Amino acid sequence: MDIIFIHELRIEVTIGVHPWERQIRQTLSLDLELGADIRQAAATDRLDDTLNYQAVAQRVGEFAATSTFRLVETLGERIAELLQQEFAALWLRLTLGKPGAVRGAREVGIIIERGCRD
């Protein structure tokens, strides 16, 4: 299996459990790895034959911008579902980080892995 990745995608969201967090936008960091077979794209050199990471990044950003989840876990799970449904990702690994959420830690977050990796 080949992997197409996006690292350190910044997404602006309303997220958090504290009342003050519901009043602001916060920047989360997203890393994605998506299982794909890139042989056809490599042979044809055509964007239509691969997973378009620009389209993935744009869709995830649009989705996140309109979300109002309280938990990073919920947002991460919904993004994983979206990627499987809209981009037919057979396997994915998603890391979603919330910088500055815990004093003394640069970032906290989750890692979700879905699907079968050959």
Side-chain angles (χ1 to χ4, degrees):
M1 175 178 297
D2 306 312
I3 296 174
I4 292 176
F5 68 89
I6 301 171
H7 286 171
E8 296 186 27
L9 179 66
R10 302 286 185 235
I11 55 176
E12 297 291 324
V13 300
T14 299
I15 196 157
V17 297
H18 302 293
W20 65 267
E21 290 181 296
R22 310 308 297 161
Q23 304 301 314
I24 64 169
R25 307 280 291 165
Q26 297 183 64
T27 303
L28 303 185
S29 176
L30 180 71
D31 289 345
L32 290 174
E33 296 179 11
L34 303 163
D37 184 342
I38 66 168
R39 290 177 288 192
Q40 180 68 25
T44 64
D45 201 28
R46 295 183 58 233
L47 182 59
D48 291 343
D49 292 330
T50 192
L51 182 59
N52 183 336
Y53 48 80
Q54 184 174 8
V56 169
Q58 182 176 343
R59 180 65 179 107
V60 167
E62 290 168 354
F63 176 80
T66 61
S67 73
T68 58
F69 301 114
R70 297 170 59 84
L71 300 178
V72 171
E73 290 84 345
T74 308
L75 177 59
E77 183 62 29
R78 297 303 178 270
I79 291 172
E81 291 170 357
L82 178 146
L83 293 169
Q84 289 181 306
Q85 293 170 4
E86 295 185 20
F87 293 93
L90 301 176
W91 173 85
L92 66 87
R93 182 180 175 98
L94 176 153
T95 303
L96 188 57
K98 188 174 180 184
V102 172
R103 177 174 277 156
R106 182 179 59 82
E107 183 176 61
V108 299
I110 59 164
I111 298 173
I112 293 175
E113 189 168 331
R114 297 287 180 267
C116 295
R117 184 174 177 179
D118 294 328

